Amino acid sequence: MTKTFWCDHALVADEVEARVRLTVKDGCFSSIESGVDAEPHDEKLRGLVLPGFANAHSHAFHRALRSRTQAGSGSFWTWREQMYRAATNLDPDSYHRLARATFAEMVCAGVTTVGEFHYVHHQADGTAYRDPNAMAEAVLAAAADARIRITLLDTVYLHGSLSASGHGPVDGFQRRFADADADAWIDRVDQVAIEGSARLGAALHSVRAVDRDSAARVGTWAIDRGWPLHVHLSEQVAENDQCLAHHGLTPTALLGEAGALSASTTAIHATHLSGADIAILADSGATVALCPTTERDLADGIGPATLLSRAGVALALGSDSHAVIDMFEEARALELDERLRSGVRGSFPASELLTAAAEAGHRSLGWTDVGRISVGARADLIAVRLDSVRTAGSPADRVVLFAAGAEDVTDVFIDGARVVRGGTHVTIDVPAELGSSIQEVMSP
Amino acid sequence: MTKTFWCDHALVADEVEARVRLTVKDGCFSSIESGVDAEPHDEKLRGLVLPGFANAHSHAFHRALRSRTQAGSGSFWTWREQMYRAATNLDPDSYHRLARATFAEMVCAGVTTVGEFHYVHHQADGTAYRDPNAMAEAVLAAAADARIRITLLDTVYLHGSLSASGHGPVDGFQRRFADADADAWIDRVDQVAIEGSARLGAALHSVRAVDRDSAARVGTWAIDRGWPLHVHLSEQVAENDQCLAHHGLTPTALLGEAGALSASTTAIHATHLSGADIAILADSGATVALCPTTERDLADGIGPATLLSRAGVALALGSDSHAVIDMFEEARALELDERLRSGVRGSFPASELLTAAAEAGHRSLGWTDVGRISVGARADLIAVRLDSVRTAGSPADRVVLFAAGAEDVTDVFIDGARVVRGGTHVTIDVPAELGSSIQEVMSP
């Protein structure tokens, strides 16, 4: 099946071109012409057309917390208690409804692929569901409904805490996150069925929740399979302190020794790193996914984005807790928070920010043929308004990402198929489904 | 003339109430009832109704730079060169058109009063216009067109630089900012005619641009008149260094000695303060206006907001360079950037953030009867959607400011008169006018 698009402006490979005609065959770009007129049956796209964004780090159910916990006080750790409580009301049905609405919000914001870091596996008391992958299947069904491409990063979570004396057992709310051990996790994950625009990946929750041997077992298993492997890394200073106290190693060094760092690994946050940690990450070929709006919200601090980038580490971006779902904001926040930290402007040109939001994010999720408008790539496209109150006056250039917001995305196509028209999802009433599914989860 | 409103939810004084009926007489609230039914002719407002926001610090023409300079590299000082160049193309007509579109964008974002820190006074070579207040009048006319309330903060700018050996002359682009001396500034400003919803205030550009004696002369003159007095303060470390090198005093101490700090003074930015500076500001009763999105953009750093607040200094908010015009974002950025700095969440509850965006900002601009929904206050109202993709799921409470964006403002009333309907300005095509006026100013 062939389909043609004609764009006022489009980012073709690395340049913004005008009057661009795109031919899509079987969901991939088969030809690209610039400086040409439209043909009568072309789908015409106004504004600036970009490749789809990858949201490299998502916990879909955290969407229910937006504005509720953001207004809270305390620390990352008190926030975590509130988040645990929200997780208690999830079951496969309510999780499906909440994730479906959240994924649909993402698509409307121009996200065409989500990496769902999924750890709510079992019933509230830790007992497996009759179908032990009922929750994973709910998430996959939600993505299919929202027509978003997904990498389900099924997450290993074995322990409740880490201190100098070692790991403590999972407790209370954490019980539903935990499998018995690494092999039990492998046995369960091996049964997850995927179809359509989905793939599986593995995640190690963190060095708090996964011991060294289990990290080695799962890391090696996932890397051998060619699966993406994601891990929360050094989001908080306390995590580093705990890891050093018990292992005598930083979390990065521990994961390196366990064989869990590779070119298919993505470290999430990586906020509190030593120079040696940065060198280890760079040597491994791992990607780092920053989540700037969440790192602001959770008082994590500002990570060493410039140092990582200079060391050759690819950067991706995620909206994580979904305090905000706006990849423009994540992308510019990477640069703007670096400015706050360093007093220097322009560490990341717009081209690099956009690569983080699109191509690098897709690669970190295992999709090497998405995130770029070039022949042979999958045809994910988003059209961004240049005539809104926010973007009016900006040049038709990547720099518009400093002006645009999620609400400037008018049209979204995934594998060449339309998912958003005029800013609205083609099948899902996003605000209505967010409202009802959040009420369901947050009611006592 | 009497008008009545009925709101699903409204922030009445300090509490969010449901089913609120507001009666407005001669532009002020004359009665407020909560928990009542609507009457047939009430204007019905959905979502959460808040008092109008005050944008306490604006340079309207910087709107032309959005996305262009944000994507740049370098420092505050290289950014300033680009900003100077944008100023060269302004004349009273083009300034009027650009400011009119920018003020209309603000109104659509829920800003009902703007503090315009106005310093482009003269022709490009420094010669006065035939009407020496032609530029000020262009700004006032723009505000009247956009139907926004304005405090025109006419700015004293006498010198081009400050070093250990003293002030240097204005140079190049700066010539059009400068009056001959403080008395020449007073003579000029005394001739500015105001009418309608406008008032005048004074501004000292900074300790770089205004010497001690001139700061004393203008500061005393303005304070004696009861005018608001604004001043850029310690935005950059270099300004502190220059001031210390010449005067042996911090900028705050210098302004204090000059008699320019009082309860009608507002210090803008106040990013790099000593503990002694904070005590001086607190003792004076001055307000501090933070401009978080600009401070991110210009790599200023994160100011001591919590320390100022704890010392009893009132905080206001401004969008300054208009990289972003979104008072929700300014308000939450105050808290979120504090989290990045301190690792602590919840220094500013939503109620304090909203006070900064509304009541405190209005007070800093000389409008003590605006920014609060209470009997006797001027009837500025904004309705915020609770059913957008951003806000769906949030409670009808001030915490929604952590979820909402400028685009969630559907209706705006100033002095009881409608200015925005369905998110659109009632008389101005904002994107079209932004596009044309920015093209005019930014074309070579």
Side-chain angles (χ1 to χ4, degrees):
Chain A
M1 205 187 95
T2 300
K3 191 165 177 175
T4 55
F5 297 87
W6 187 87
C7 316
D8 274 348
H9 296 92
L11 175 63
V12 177
D14 293 316
E15 297 296 333
V16 173
E17 315 253 10
R19 308 173 59 73
V20 177
R21 192 155 186 270
L22 304 167
T23 306
V24 174
K25 206 169 164 181
D26 300 329
C28 294
F29 297 112
S30 61
S31 89
I32 299 173
E33 308 156 88
S34 297
V36 298
D37 289 337
E39 303 284 333
H41 297 293
D42 292 349
E43 174 94 48
K44 287 175 196 67
L45 299 176
R46 301 297 172 202
L48 174 63
V49 173
L50 299 174
F53 294 138
N55 192 348
H57 189 63
S58 162
H59 304 291
F61 79 91
H62 292 197
R63 174 62 180 83
L65 304 171
R66 183 183 297 174
S67 81
R68 297 169 192 263
T69 58
Q70 280 184 284
S73 59
S75 68
F76 172 87
W77 309 101
T78 52
W79 168 85
R80 194 177 68 157
E81 283 299 312
Q82 295 177 284
M83 180 273 287
Y84 283 171
R85 276 194 291 277
T88 55
N89 285 339
L90 294 172
D91 61 33
D93 286 344
S94 63
Y95 201 178
H96 170 251
R97 285 188 283 269
L98 176 56
R100 165 186 153 105
T102 304
F103 292 152
E105 181 182 352
M106 281 183 210
V107 175
C108 292
V111 175
T112 60
T113 304
V114 60
E116 178 64 21
F117 198 109
H118 166 63
Y119 58 87
V120 187
H121 302 307
H122 306 299
Q123 300 184 58
D125 65 357
T127 313
Y129 285 102
R130 183 182 306 231
D131 168 0
N133 287 307
M135 294 295 259
E137 286 152 11
V139 172
L140 290 167
D145 290 355
R147 305 192 184 187
I148 197 169
R149 192 183 294 109
I150 187 170
T151 297
L152 182 79
L153 300 156
D154 197 295
T155 303
V156 189
Y157 197 112
L158 305 175
H159 310 293
S161 61
L162 176 62
S163 65
S165 54
H167 288 89
V170 293
D171 190 33
F173 299 117
Q174 299 170 328
R175 285 176 296 171
R176 64 186 318 186
F177 311 156
D179 293 290
D181 54 32
D183 287 307
W185 177 86
I186 289 173
D187 289 345
R188 179 175 59 72
V189 168
D190 245 354
Q191 298 165 46
V192 177
I194 53 163
E195 56 186 13
S197 280
R199 72 168 66 217
L200 289 172
L204 308 172
H205 182 276
S206 58
V207 299
R208 292 195 309 276
V210 184
D211 57 273
R212 186 200 317 227
D213 289 349
S214 301
R217 171 84 177 104
V218 170
T220 314
W221 182 87
I223 291 167
D224 287 350
R225 289 199 157 196
W227 281 18
L229 175 69
H230 284 222
V231 55
H232 287 132
L233 182 72
S234 293
E235 181 175 6
Q236 289 285 324
V237 172
E239 175 190 316
N240 288 1
D241 294 343
Q242 293 156 357
C243 192
L244 281 162
H246 181 59
H247 295 288
L249 294 169
T250 64
T252 303
L254 182 73
L255 292 171
E257 288 212 351
L261 297 180
S262 77
S264 54
T265 303
T266 297
I268 312 300
H269 303 301
T271 309
H272 302 284
L273 299 184
S274 67
D277 292 337
I278 292 172
I280 292 168
L281 287 168
D283 286 346
S284 73
T287 295
V288 165
L290 299 160
C291 307
T293 65
T294 293
E295 290 150 13
R296 287 174 181 167
D297 182 26
L298 299 188
D300 291 340
I302 302 173
T306 305
L307 294 175
L308 286 162
S309 179
R310 282 196 197 135
V313 176
L315 301 181
L317 294 163
S319 69
D320 188 356
S321 66
H322 312 311
V324 175
I325 293 181
D326 185 337
M327 298 306 291
F328 296 105
E329 179 65 21
E330 301 295 343
R332 63 183 165 244
L334 175 57
E335 163 66 17
L336 295 174
D337 288 350
E338 177 67 23
R339 292 183 192 182
L340 286 178
R341 197 188 61 73
S342 66
V344 174
R345 308 177 81 237
S347 300
F348 296 98
S351 58
E352 288 184 24
L353 298 175
L354 202 56
T355 297
E359 199 173 357
H362 277 103
R363 200 183 320 113
S364 90
L365 297 173
W367 303 94
T368 52
D369 55 350
V370 196
R372 197 174 163 86
I373 300 176
S374 59
V375 171
R378 287 174 187 249
D380 288 14
L381 296 171
I382 69 176
V384 181
R385 286 180 66 180
L386 297 174
D387 62 353
S388 73
V389 289
R390 290 163 298 280
T391 57
S394 290
D397 183 271
R398 277 169 286 198
V399 299
V400 77
L401 79 77
F402 282 95
E407 58 280 5
D408 292 315
V409 175
T410 54
D411 303 88
V412 178
F413 297 83
I414 302 180
D415 293 331
R418 183 185 280 281
V419 188
V420 173
R421 182 192 303 276
T424 302
H425 196 282
V426 291
T427 58
I428 294 176
D429 180 339
V430 182
E433 293 204 13
L434 283 169
S436 59
S437 64
I438 291 171
Q439 187 173 28
E440 181 182 3
V441 169
M442 297 305 285
S443 299
Chain B
M1 204 188 94
T2 300
K3 193 165 175 175
T4 55
F5 298 87
W6 187 88
C7 316
D8 274 349
H9 297 91
L11 176 62
V12 178
D14 294 315
E15 296 297 331
V16 173
E17 316 253 10
R19 309 173 59 74
V20 178
R21 192 154 187 270
L22 304 168
T23 305
V24 173
K25 205 168 166 182
D26 300 328
C28 295
F29 299 112
S30 61
S31 88
I32 299 174
E33 307 157 89
S34 297
V36 298
D37 290 337
E39 304 283 334
H41 298 291
D42 291 349
E43 174 95 49
K44 288 177 196 65
L45 299 175
R46 301 297 171 200
L48 174 63
V49 173
L50 299 174
F53 294 139
N55 192 347
H57 189 64
S58 162
H59 304 292
F61 79 92
H62 290 196
R63 174 64 181 83
L65 304 170
R66 184 185 296 177
S67 81
R68 298 168 192 262
T69 58
Q70 280 185 285
S73 59
S75 67
F76 172 87
W77 309 102
T78 53
W79 169 84
R80 194 178 67 155
E81 283 299 312
Q82 294 177 285
M83 179 273 287
Y84 283 172
R85 276 194 292 277
T88 55
N89 284 338
L90 294 173
D91 61 32
D93 285 344
S94 62
Y95 201 179
H96 170 250
R97 285 188 283 268
L98 176 56
R100 164 186 153 107
T102 304
F103 291 152
E105 180 182 352
M106 281 182 210
V107 175
C108 292
V111 175
T112 58
T113 303
V114 61
E116 179 64 20
F117 197 107
H118 167 63
Y119 58 86
V120 187
H121 302 306
H122 306 298
Q123 300 185 58
D125 64 357
T127 314
Y129 285 102
R130 183 182 306 232
D131 169 359
N133 286 307
M135 294 295 259
E137 285 152 11
V139 172
L140 290 167
D145 289 356
R147 307 192 182 186
I148 197 169
R149 191 182 294 110
I150 188 170
T151 297
L152 182 79
L153 300 156
D154 197 296
T155 303
V156 189
Y157 197 112
L158 304 176
H159 310 292
S161 62
L162 175 62
S163 66
S165 55
H167 288 89
V170 292
D171 190 33
F173 300 117
Q174 298 169 331
R175 286 177 294 172
R176 64 187 318 189
F177 310 157
D179 292 290
D181 55 31
D183 287 306
W185 176 85
I186 288 173
D187 288 345
R188 180 175 59 72
V189 168
D190 245 353
Q191 297 166 47
V192 177
I194 53 163
E195 55 187 10
S197 280
R199 71 168 68 215
L200 289 172
L204 308 172
H205 181 276
S206 59
V207 298
R208 292 194 309 275
V210 184
D211 58 90
R212 187 200 316 227
D213 290 348
S214 301
R217 171 85 176 104
V218 170
T220 315
W221 183 87
I223 292 167
D224 286 350
R225 289 201 157 196
W227 280 18
L229 175 69
H230 284 222
V231 54
H232 287 132
L233 181 73
S234 293
E235 180 175 7
Q236 290 286 322
V237 172
E239 174 189 317
N240 289 0
D241 294 344
Q242 293 155 357
C243 192
L244 281 162
H246 182 59
H247 294 289
L249 294 170
T250 63
T252 302
L254 182 73
L255 291 171
E257 289 212 351
L261 298 180
S262 76
S264 54
T265 303
T266 297
I268 312 300
H269 303 301
T271 308
H272 303 285
L273 298 185
S274 68
D277 290 339
I278 292 172
I280 292 169
L281 287 167
D283 286 347
S284 73
T287 295
V288 165
L290 298 159
C291 307
T293 66
T294 293
E295 289 149 14
R296 287 174 180 167
D297 182 27
L298 300 189
D300 291 340
I302 302 173
T306 305
L307 294 175
L308 285 163
S309 179
R310 282 197 197 134
V313 176
L315 301 180
L317 294 163
S319 68
D320 189 358
S321 66
H322 312 310
V324 175
I325 294 181
D326 185 336
M327 299 305 292
F328 296 105
E329 180 64 20
E330 300 296 342
R332 63 184 165 243
L334 175 59
E335 163 66 18
L336 295 174
D337 288 351
E338 176 68 23
R339 292 183 192 184
L340 286 178
R341 197 188 61 72
S342 66
V344 174
R345 308 177 81 239
S347 299
F348 296 98
S351 57
E352 288 183 24
L353 298 174
L354 201 56
T355 297
E359 199 173 357
H362 276 102
R363 199 183 322 112
S364 91
L365 297 173
W367 302 94
T368 52
D369 56 348
V370 196
R372 196 173 165 86
I373 301 177
S374 59
V375 171
R378 288 174 186 247
D380 288 15
L381 296 172
I382 70 177
V384 181
R385 286 179 66 181
L386 298 174
D387 63 352
S388 73
V389 290
R390 290 165 297 280
T391 57
S394 289
D397 183 271
R398 277 168 285 198
V399 300
V400 77
L401 79 79
F402 282 95
E407 57 281 2
D408 292 315
V409 175
T410 54
D411 302 88
V412 178
F413 296 82
I414 302 180
D415 292 330
R418 182 185 281 280
V419 187
V420 173
R421 182 192 303 276
T424 303
H425 196 280
V426 292
T427 58
I428 294 178
D429 180 340
V430 181
E433 293 203 13
L434 283 169
S436 59
S437 63
I438 291 171
Q439 188 174 26
E440 180 182 5
V441 170
M442 297 305 286
S443 298

